[in-house]
Amino acid sequence: MKLPGFRHRRRDRDLDEEIRSHLQMAVRDRVDRGETTDGASSSARREFGNTTLIKEITREMWGWTAVERLFQDLRFTARVLRQSPGFAAVAILSIALGIGVNTAIFSLIDAVLLKPLAVQNPDRLVIIGDPTHTGSLSEGAGRSDIFSYPFFERLRARQQVFTEVYASGRCERLDVTLANGLPVSSGAKIRGRFVTGNFFSLLGVSSLAGRVFTEPEVRIPGSAPVMVIGYGLWQRAFAGDLHAVGQTLVVNGSNFTIIGVMPAEFSGDVVGAPTDIWFPITMQAQANPGHDSFKDPQTSWLLVMGRLKPGVSLRQADASVQVIGHRLLEELYKNAQSADGMQELLKARIEVTPGGKGFSRVRHDLAAPLMILMGIVVLVLLISCANVANLQLARAAARGREMSLRLAVGASRTRLVRQLLTESLVISAAGAGLGLVFALWGTYLFLQLVAASTQIGLNVRLDGTILLFTVAAACLAGLLFGIVPAIQGTRLDLISMLKESKAGQPKAFARGLGKALVVSQIVFSLVLLVCAGLFIRTLRNLEQVDVGYARNGLLLADLDFKAAGYQDNRIDELVRNLLQKMQALPGVESVSVSENGLFSGTDSEGNNDIEGFVARARADRLNRYDRVGPNYFYTIGARIVAGRGIGLQDTENAPKVAVINEKMAQFYFPHENPIGRHIFDSDDPSGKDRIAIPIVGVVRDVKQNRLREPAPRRFYFALLQHRPPDPIDALNLEIRTRVPSKLLVDAVRRAVKDLDSKLPLNVNTADDLIRDEVSQEKVVAQLSSFFGLLAVVLAAIGLYGVMSYLTARRTTEIGIRMALGARRPAVMGMVLGETLRLVALGVLLGVAASALAAGLLAKSLFGLPSFDLLSTGGAAAVIAMAAALATYLPARRAARIDPMTALRYE
């Protein structure tokens, strides 16, 4: 191929003309000296030398040789692949699958773990507090990882290391409708956040339409009923209509005007929870009625982020925040905390970490599962590479004579290796292009799977980082499956190769390299299948774990009284009416109530003395607790193992009682009966204000919120006897049903709506909440199973290709065996036996590798031994069946060989 450009083509023509003129002159000189024309021509060419080599040397002197050779290699590769469409299709599809799944998982890792916020100079942002929190009104007072608004105001006034500091907090519940009462976004959860007026200016983001609110206009509480909406809500609710700006939305009963729309690339400062609406923080009482925590120093609910001043380092900011933060904690909470509690609070560090990637609980939760999935898909890519390497080795053996001829006419081995590597890289590039299509499709399916199982929302887009990863993966894959076949395919004995027939072609493929690649595929596939089995069994163990109560036939509902505007004196009457109404529903067996509830995400911890026990450390006095209504344990199905539970007799006028769980009984009373002993309900060590509450029962350990964690020490008070010092904001209903609990969900909703249509209510079955708790494990189990089966299919294809090639090479041998009397079953057994040896070796090595992988995954597993025989045995059985199916056709083809045809085969 000529170099591009008219100038080069003219140079090439001039060179040909010059060589031709030189040869003609040499021939004339020899003819003039008396030689014949033919003799003169031959001697002139011998004296001149290899004209092709001279042309090559001359072109190298001109430059651009590398580009010319690259175009030559590409053109030759295209011709070769067109001549072998079957090989090209299988190779490109294998690499596309490997690169596609890797790109899909990497795009999720990039969105969750790597990608910075779409803001100005994200590297200068700093999070003050715990970056894994997303802010909740239910967080306890005085925490050093999230803060109250008074804490934030004082911190912003006293700090000297940030240009600005902003705060944001989550809206607990959003009921958003248009002014005509129609829902804004039916079927989709709307997420909102309260932010200070400098939120948008500090981050350096501008609106796509309209404008954002600023600090001066939202400074006065209740004076700015405005909102900025996200791109997603704008598309879902208004179909991208610019007239959305200026419209009024009704949020929890209050009117708010849309003043701006944010661009698609900005979804807020919380990764995994795209924000739909931003409210001024001064409008919290209007947007979240009943949750007016704006001025309350005892409610920690805000996340804080700052932008470093020029020249200020993260270490300097950290040192400054520790000093100021601890002073503020002492100022704000010294009167609200006990001496021990205040001492513990002041010991805690206020984290100061880089904030360019935003806040994210999702990052904390998904980091390990995503890295596990990334390791799995890397193995899938390695299997794909081994597949294509096997195909390349077979082609190298078939092209032995071609390579020998090219070497014989002067091509260097380096030149041939480069040509073969070009073929591999072209295949890899084509696979990467198709793999991007698979990646987009796979990412969409993954996000749908995650959305169906969790409340996580991710913004995954194809960008330069994803493309760069795909290109890098394609180059690496091309080298992985191309370098060894290229070297093997050009390591030839020219004299023997040019003399031998097809049957005598190089034995590089048969010498074991192809078999070694097949064994490696079996090893990788077995590891993936074992991992999939472990994750499936972990999911099953978590779903079937003994939670300490009867989950079947149990409905759980939570009621937010504060959001509906209830005061404490009205809540008692409402609860009594609710319990009566629920008990009267057909199919309901028992109803009770609790402060925290099962799998509600909330819990309480007490610092209590126990009669007869001397605490050696503060942790010995810490126990979880809950306040529950009459018949609570019967309703949830938790067995009383000693004494009695909390019943109807435990009213406000009756003596106070407590029930403890088995773990608490074993810890405080290992060899004694706890019934009749007392819990002291006070932090006052002098005993002046302590209330001695007798223990009247012991109940089974109950998993309140976490399936993986053992049940902690826990005690229960009667809700009617022990009212918290603050008014009750919310309660949980527990409903035991005689019929399948799902059938009563709508009836419960109607009953609550009949009492008060404004009362927010969430109703779930206990089984559904437990399934939500294992949603991440479910996603990992499903994806690892898919990738494991994909690996088995790829390995089976590779094994089929190897055995087909080896069987074809042994055609003459098999014909001789059959001519000498070998029967077809014996021939099939010979081929299957060779496969069995490869599979046995692969399984043996795979079992060892799987044991190592299981050790690395130990933290992600639950209820499984270090070596799980069921998962390993099942994986080996699947591999064996896949290998048998892959080898059956080559074995059957070998058994049908005609001896006479085989003896004539070359």
Side-chain angles (χ1 to χ4, degrees):
M1 182 177 179
K2 304 297 186 296
L3 289 175
F6 293 106
R7 183 177 180 184
H8 172 75
R9 288 195 289 270
R10 186 171 62 250
R11 278 186 172 186
D12 219 21
R13 289 194 299 269
D14 292 344
L15 177 60
D16 289 339
E17 182 63 31
E18 186 175 349
I19 291 174
R20 188 163 49 252
S21 300
H22 181 84
L23 289 174
Q24 290 174 354
M25 291 172 60
V27 169
R28 282 198 299 270
D29 288 343
R30 283 166 171 73
V31 170
D32 291 343
R33 290 197 298 267
E35 295 183 23
T36 64
T37 302
D38 292 340
S41 177
S42 298
S43 60
R45 290 184 178 277
R46 282 196 301 272
E47 183 179 343
F48 186 79
N50 190 327
T51 56
T52 303
L53 180 59
I54 291 173
K55 288 182 180 181
E56 291 293 330
I57 294 173
T58 305
R59 290 194 184 102
E60 288 180 4
M61 295 174 65
W62 291 346
W64 295 94
T65 308
V67 177
E68 180 182 11
R69 288 178 178 171
L70 175 61
F71 278 104
Q72 289 176 345
D73 290 343
L74 291 174
R75 186 174 65 176
F76 184 77
T77 295
R79 186 166 63 247
V80 168
L81 294 180
R82 280 200 305 268
Q83 293 172 352
S84 305
F87 160 77
V90 172
I92 291 173
L93 182 59
S94 295
I95 294 301
L97 289 171
I99 292 179
V101 295
N102 273 267
T103 302
I105 298 300
F106 176 79
S107 64
L108 297 168
I109 290 177
D110 179 56
V112 174
L113 303 179
L114 304 178
K115 186 174 293 182
L117 296 176
V119 300
Q120 184 178 6
N121 298 326
D123 56 304
R124 300 297 295 171
L125 294 177
V126 170
I127 291 173
I128 306 170
D130 187 346
T132 66
H133 274 295
T134 55
S136 173
L137 297 181
S138 62
E139 303 291 354
R143 294 185 58 152
S144 59
D145 49 11
I146 54 177
F147 308 111
S148 65
Y149 189 78
F151 182 99
F152 164 73
E153 282 187 316
R154 288 168 171 78
L155 176 67
R156 178 165 59 173
R158 298 185 191 182
Q159 66 82 22
Q160 297 179 345
V161 292
F162 305 108
T163 58
E164 285 186 277
V165 180
Y166 81 76
S168 71
R170 187 176 66 199
C171 300
E172 291 297 295
R173 283 186 173 89
L174 283 180
D175 180 16
V176 184
T177 61
L178 297 172
N180 57 11
L182 295 177
V184 168
S185 183
S186 58
K189 180 179 179 180
I190 297 179
R191 295 183 174 95
R193 293 194 71 79
F194 297 108
V195 296
T196 51
N198 61 342
F199 174 81
F200 298 105
S201 61
L202 187 151
L203 294 177
V205 292
S206 302
S207 61
L208 175 67
R211 64 178 182 87
V212 298
F213 48 77
T214 60
E215 189 80 39
E217 68 178 310
V218 301
R219 183 175 292 120
I220 301 174
S223 64
V226 296
M227 64 167 65
V228 175
I229 65 173
Y231 186 86
L233 181 62
W234 184 47
Q235 292 295 324
R236 297 196 307 269
F238 302 101
D241 186 359
L242 292 176
H243 291 94
V245 176
Q247 291 198 34
T248 298
L249 297 183
V250 182
V251 180
N252 294 334
S254 299
N255 293 334
F256 285 81
T257 302
I258 300 173
I259 63 170
V261 178
M262 298 308 294
E265 59 270 14
F266 181 75
S267 57
D269 56 349
V270 178
V271 177
T275 303
D276 294 308
I277 302 175
W278 289 271
F279 299 99
I281 199 168
T282 50
M283 298 299 295
Q284 190 210 17
Q286 289 73 29
N288 258 173
H291 291 288
D292 187 7
S293 306
F294 182 57
K295 291 294 185 181
D296 185 4
Q298 301 303 315
T299 302
S300 299
W301 64 292
L302 293 176
L303 305 177
V304 178
M305 184 178 289
R307 185 176 289 278
L308 292 173
K309 287 183 177 180
V312 175
S313 67
L314 182 65
R315 179 176 296 183
Q316 291 171 322
D318 179 78
S320 176
V321 166
Q322 300 311 317
V323 174
I324 298 173
H326 284 144
R327 288 176 183 170
L328 293 179
L329 289 173
E330 191 169 11
E331 289 177 13
L332 287 169
Y333 304 119
K334 63 182 179 181
N335 295 326
Q337 296 280 338
S338 65
D340 288 345
M342 196 67 218
Q343 187 177 3
E344 289 295 320
L345 185 63
L346 294 178
K347 284 181 182 178
R349 281 185 54 81
I350 300 176
E351 294 187 57
V352 178
T353 54
K357 296 177 184 177
F359 303 95
S360 182
R361 181 69 188 177
V362 173
R363 187 178 301 129
H364 177 271
D365 292 341
L366 290 186
L370 283 177
M371 297 312 295
I372 290 171
L373 290 175
M374 194 70 214
I376 288 174
V377 296
V378 166
L379 289 182
V380 173
L381 180 58
L382 291 177
I383 293 172
S384 300
C385 290
N387 241 2
V388 181
N390 266 333
L391 294 174
Q392 293 278 63
L393 285 170
R395 280 172 52 80
R399 296 171 67 183
R401 293 180 70 85
E402 172 197 339
M403 296 299 165
S404 300
L405 288 172
R406 295 177 68 179
L407 288 170
V409 297
S412 67
R413 188 182 176 206
T414 302
R415 183 74 176 82
L416 294 183
V417 168
R418 189 173 66 214
Q419 171 61 51
L420 293 175
L421 279 178
T422 302
E423 294 180 17
S424 298
L425 291 173
V426 168
I427 291 172
S428 186
L434 182 58
L436 271 178
V437 178
F438 290 161
L440 294 174
W441 177 65
T443 303
Y444 171 78
L445 291 181
F446 180 87
L447 292 177
Q448 294 295 108
L449 181 63
V450 170
S453 303
T454 67
Q455 297 297 321
I456 295 172
L458 294 174
N459 185 16
V460 180
R461 296 177 180 273
L462 182 64
D463 57 15
T465 303
I466 306 300
L467 291 176
L468 184 61
F469 172 84
T470 305
V471 171
C475 293
L476 180 60
L479 293 175
L480 279 176
F481 70 74
I483 189 69
V484 173
I487 293 174
Q488 286 290 106
T490 56
R491 187 178 293 168
L492 304 169
D493 181 357
L494 294 184
I495 296 177
S496 61
M497 284 297 301
L498 293 174
K499 286 182 178 180
E500 290 179 351
S501 65
K502 284 185 178 180
Q505 286 182 14
K507 302 294 190 296
F509 186 82
R511 280 200 297 262
L513 185 56
K515 294 180 180 179
L517 289 173
V518 168
V519 170
S520 69
Q521 287 179 293
I522 293 173
V523 171
F524 293 150
S525 300
L526 184 66
V527 170
L528 293 183
L529 284 179
V530 170
C531 291
L534 292 174
F535 289 131
I536 290 173
R537 295 201 64 203
T538 291
L539 176 63
R540 186 170 181 270
N541 289 343
L542 286 170
E543 289 179 337
Q544 297 182 352
V545 69
D546 183 8
V547 292
Y549 56 88
R551 64 175 73 172
N552 294 326
L554 181 61
L555 272 178
L556 303 172
D558 64 270
L559 301 163
D560 190 343
F561 302 115
K562 216 172 185 183
Y566 279 85
Q567 300 300 320
D568 196 37
N569 56 349
R570 294 183 57 207
I571 291 175
D572 290 342
E573 181 183 357
L574 177 64
V575 170
R576 282 195 296 270
N577 292 336
L578 271 176
L579 292 177
Q580 292 174 2
K581 202 169 185 65
M582 296 300 168
Q583 188 68 62
L585 290 176
V588 170
E589 180 178 345
S590 177
V591 181
S592 189
V593 66
S594 64
E595 184 180 8
N596 290 322
L598 301 172
F599 288 93
S600 63
T602 62
D603 212 344
S604 301
E605 189 173 55
N607 192 357
N608 304 86
D609 288 322
I610 308 296
E611 181 184 355
F613 181 85
V614 178
R616 294 178 175 82
R618 185 173 183 269
D620 291 346
R621 302 176 64 234
L622 294 177
N623 299 285
R624 306 290 177 85
Y625 71 89
D626 199 359
R627 308 174 194 271
V628 301
N631 299 322
Y632 173 77
F633 301 112
Y634 174 79
T635 301
I636 67 172
R639 183 169 57 89
I640 299 293
V641 297
R644 67 175 180 87
I646 293 173
L648 294 172
Q649 71 272 28
D650 300 313
T651 62
E652 187 174 358
N653 298 323
K656 294 178 171 56
V657 296
V659 175
I660 64 176
N661 70 352
E662 290 179 296
K663 190 161 188 177
M664 189 169 175
Q666 292 167 3
F667 183 80
Y668 293 111
F669 312 102
H671 307 295
E672 304 174 47
N673 183 3
I675 305 300
R677 295 298 184 94
H678 292 81
I679 298 175
F680 296 101
D681 187 19
S682 173
D683 289 332
D684 183 5
S686 67
K688 179 181 178 181
D689 296 324
R690 293 197 303 178
I691 302 173
I693 303 172
I695 298 171
V696 299
V698 179
V699 68
R700 280 195 66 194
D701 294 337
V702 168
K703 290 183 181 291
Q704 190 94 354
N705 285 308
R706 297 287 180 266
L707 293 176
R708 286 180 176 270
E709 300 173 2
R713 301 192 301 267
R714 186 182 299 278
F715 61 92
Y716 302 86
F717 289 152
L719 181 67
L720 298 180
Q721 295 179 337
H722 294 268
R723 302 299 297 270
D726 297 324
I728 294 177
D729 296 339
L731 282 177
N732 295 269
L733 286 176
E734 291 80 25
I735 305 171
R736 171 65 55 188
T737 65
R738 301 187 189 92
V739 297
S741 52
K742 280 184 177 293
L743 300 179
L744 289 180
V745 171
D746 291 338
V748 170
R749 292 184 188 278
R750 286 194 298 270
V752 174
K753 188 174 182 179
D754 288 344
L755 285 175
D756 189 340
S757 60
K758 295 181 180 180
L759 185 63
L761 172 74
N762 288 323
V763 185
N764 291 284
T765 67
D767 281 332
D768 286 343
L769 290 176
I770 290 174
R771 276 192 287 269
D772 290 344
E773 177 69 15
V774 298
S775 57
Q776 291 182 21
E777 286 83 357
K778 181 179 180 181
V779 171
V780 172
Q782 290 175 330
L783 289 179
S784 60
S785 300
F786 170 76
F787 294 139
L789 293 176
L790 177 61
V792 171
V793 171
L794 291 173
I797 293 172
L799 184 60
Y800 170 79
V802 171
M803 299 313 299
S804 295
Y805 176 77
L806 291 179
T807 302
R809 286 184 57 81
R810 298 174 66 183
T811 299
T812 303
E813 173 198 343
I814 293 172
I816 293 174
R817 288 175 180 268
M818 297 185 72
L820 294 176
R823 295 183 177 274
R824 288 184 176 180
V827 174
M828 290 188 68
M830 178 185 68
V831 178
L832 290 173
E834 189 167 359
T835 301
L836 182 62
R837 287 192 291 274
L838 293 177
V839 172
L841 178 59
V843 168
L844 185 63
L845 296 176
V847 168
S850 300
L852 178 61
L856 296 175
L857 298 175
K859 291 183 178 180
S860 300
L861 305 179
F862 179 79
L864 295 174
S866 56
F867 180 78
D868 184 48
L869 183 60
L870 182 60
S871 298
T872 305
V878 171
I879 291 289
M881 287 188 292
L885 290 174
T887 314
Y888 174 73
L889 287 178
R892 184 183 177 189
R893 193 180 302 121
R896 291 186 172 184
I897 289 176
D898 183 0
M900 297 304 296
T901 303
L903 293 176
R904 292 195 297 266
Y905 178 81
E906 284 189 351

